[in-house]
Amino acid sequence: MGPSPHAPVSLANLLLGSNVAFPLPAMSRRSSFASTLLSALVFVLTAATATAQPFPTNVVWSDSVGAAVHTVAFSPDGQYVASGAASADSTQGRIDLFTALGGMPLMRATTHPAAPNGLGAANSLVFRADGQALASGHGVVRCDPAPCATVGAGVFTWSVPGLTSQGGSTDPAEAAFSVAYAAGSGPLGVVYADGTIRFLDPTTLAEQRQLPGHAGGTNAIAFSPDGARLASVGADGMLRVWDTATGALQRLGRHQRRAQGQPQARRREQD
């Protein structure tokens, strides 16, 4: 049963759709007020619905790094997110570290003792399995003007969450396009602009082994969870699996199209 003809009609009743019995014409003044209020609410809600944009409820947080962002990585424990960015001309790079929940900026690295003139464009990031270190690959091949030249090349390691420098390996001739840590005390795998894949000591970054990679360039690498094998893909359309300990090629596969881990257009700037 609805409210008595003399009981006030609450706004909650109207919005929640309660069984409100409006008075008969004898109580026209109160009925007219309620009807007018309800009509106004319907108009406002309809107008808001027509103009409102869908809210991206799947976005936990977002942040403007303020530069072209080339790579991103989660820490193994899910506490941190790292992004690798570059300036508009790709000559300078930086690394930003955020909390994964809330997106609070924690640290930013723009230089390293091994790169006194600043970091080159950040192409790839990877956290070590224990989450206590981060490796980054840098550099870009610029072909305007010719001949092509590498700018800001190097592989660097950082503490987490402080982003203090731990090690650096620079090769002015070769940009580092992709980095990957093997499990445990295994090597740090790096893809260089010349197409080779090199295994570096995860602490000193001294070169341990070099694999031929792919004709036309290696695009991406990934270690198996146990670190015993390394998979690589390249511009030649091939998928290769290597033995980490010996460097021997274990198996070979072919893609229907060129296998590409990251856009080639970003890596090599041409007219």
Side-chain angles (χ1 to χ4, degrees):
M1 179 180 295
S4 68
H6 300 285
V9 179
S10 70
L11 181 60
N13 291 140
L14 294 174
L15 292 177
L16 298 177
S18 301
N19 185 18
V20 178
F22 289 102
L24 295 174
M27 301 297 295
S28 59
R29 184 171 62 180
R30 182 167 302 189
S31 177
S32 176
F33 170 78
S35 297
T36 302
L37 178 61
L38 181 60
S39 298
L41 286 171
V42 170
F43 173 81
V44 170
L45 292 175
T46 302
T49 303
T51 59
Q53 298 296 320
F55 185 77
T57 56
N58 59 322
V59 175
V60 179
W61 57 268
S62 65
D63 189 274
S64 175
V65 177
V69 183
H70 292 167
T71 182
V72 66
F74 257 107
S75 63
D77 60 6
Q79 291 191 48
Y80 307 111
V81 176
S83 65
S87 58
D89 61 2
S90 296
T91 60
Q92 296 293 316
R94 77 177 195 230
I95 301 168
D96 291 89
L97 189 68
F98 303 85
T99 58
L101 294 178
M104 178 183 298
L106 296 177
M107 288 291 175
R108 173 176 296 170
T110 57
T111 188
H112 192 286
N117 296 324
L119 300 175
N123 297 318
S124 182
L125 296 173
V126 62
F127 282 90
R128 200 170 62 196
D130 62 5
Q132 301 301 304
L134 177 76
S136 59
H138 299 259
V140 64
V141 180
R142 298 182 66 87
C143 297
D144 182 20
C148 295
T150 300
V151 179
V155 177
F156 307 102
T157 54
W158 316 83
S159 67
V160 176
L163 284 190
T164 56
S165 58
Q166 293 188 323
S169 174
T170 59
D171 184 342
E174 301 298 344
F177 287 155
S178 182
V179 291
Y181 272 115
S185 59
L188 174 67
V190 182
V191 171
Y192 284 90
D194 63 356
T196 61
I197 303 167
R198 305 177 199 177
F199 290 169
L200 308 184
D201 182 281
T203 302
T204 66
L205 299 184
E207 185 174 322
Q208 297 177 329
R209 185 182 303 280
Q210 186 173 136
L211 307 178
H214 296 255
T218 303
N219 291 328
I221 56 174
F223 281 100
S224 61
D226 60 3
R229 291 167 294 172
L230 176 81
S232 65
V233 293
D236 55 3
M238 303 303 295
L239 165 65
R240 293 189 166 102
V241 178
W242 313 81
D243 183 278
T244 302
T246 66
L249 181 62
Q250 292 188 332
R251 60 178 61 92
L252 190 68
R254 178 174 291 277
H255 284 265
Q256 293 298 316
R257 296 182 178 180
R258 182 176 67 184
Q260 184 165 306
Q262 298 181 20
Q264 290 286 332
R266 174 176 66 76
R267 298 178 172 193
R268 185 175 293 272
E269 299 178 329
Q270 298 176 333
D271 291 336

